[in-house]
Amino acid sequence: MEHTGSVKVPDGKLVTVTATYEDTIESVTITGDFFLEPPEALEKLERVIEGRPTDVPKQELVDAIETVDAELIGFSADHLAEAVREAIDR
């Protein structure tokens, strides 16, 4: 299956996650109008989410996202985890 989840961050930023999954999250694409330093970290963020079971707790996603050496500008690890959960909870 493939579904998309989005979170509108209070200051107006949008984080969108498209996830392909069955029992595990097979692939993830993160898009939106946020900034990320360094920009190359986007792929690393996607990779730390992939391979996890679809019943992964939100806090486990937050913890995994926070292991990536990146500055999330306009959104947080919590926002990204929320968008992932929305995508895979459909």
Side-chain angles (χ1 to χ4, degrees), residues 12-54:
K13 298 299 179 189
L14 180 67
V15 178
T16 301
V17 171
T18 301
T20 302
Y21 61 93
E22 288 301 326
D23 294 330
T24 60
I25 303 169
E26 297 165 9
S27 69
V28 169
T29 303
I30 302 167
T31 58
D33 64 351
F34 55 83
F35 298 98
L36 183 64
E37 286 296 330
E40 302 80 37
L42 185 61
E43 185 176 322
K44 292 178 184 176
L45 289 171
E46 293 169 344
R47 298 305 159 254
V48 298
I49 296 166
E50 293 172 350
R52 297 183 184 275
T54 53

